[in-house]
Amino acid sequence: MQQGPQSLDEVGALERLGYLTREVDPGNRRNHLLHAAEAARAVARAAEQRRREAFADRFADWTDADVATPASLLTRYNRDD
């Protein structure tokens, strides 16, 4: 994938913030391999936890039947045809 100036700026910003590391690709020295740093993984874990808590709060008073109806409709929607 080609990178333009904007994506290079974003990579540089993430690297300066400590969220990303980059290394030269040993298979093609013109490329870089990007890796999420521990700080980025911690932010992602915290965001996932907040998302799970928000869902739990939102559905706390739903019955099993309440959950089953949209779940079955989403399953039907996502079915491979």
Side-chain angles (χ1 to χ4, degrees):
M1 175 193 325
Q2 290 288 335
Q3 288 186 341
Q6 182 177 357
S7 61
L8 292 175
D9 290 344
E10 292 168 357
V11 166
L14 291 170
E15 192 173 22
R16 284 188 298 281
L17 290 168
Y19 293 136
L20 187 70
T21 61
R22 89 174 107 176
E23 65 178 284
V24 174
D25 181 352
N28 182 344
R29 299 196 54 79
R30 294 175 293 168
N31 295 330
H32 286 89
L33 302 174
L34 305 176
H35 304 280
E38 179 53 36
R41 288 190 291 275
V43 168
R45 283 191 301 270
E48 174 67 13
Q49 182 62 32
R50 286 191 305 275
R51 185 190 65 77
R52 287 178 184 274
E53 290 168 359
F55 270 96
D57 290 346
R58 173 74 50 106
F59 296 114
D61 63 343
W62 286 36
T63 66
D64 288 346
D66 291 338
V67 173
T69 298
S72 67
L73 292 172
L74 285 170
T75 299
R76 184 171 136 201
Y77 175 80
N78 288 312
R79 189 177 305 134
D80 289 336
D81 291 15

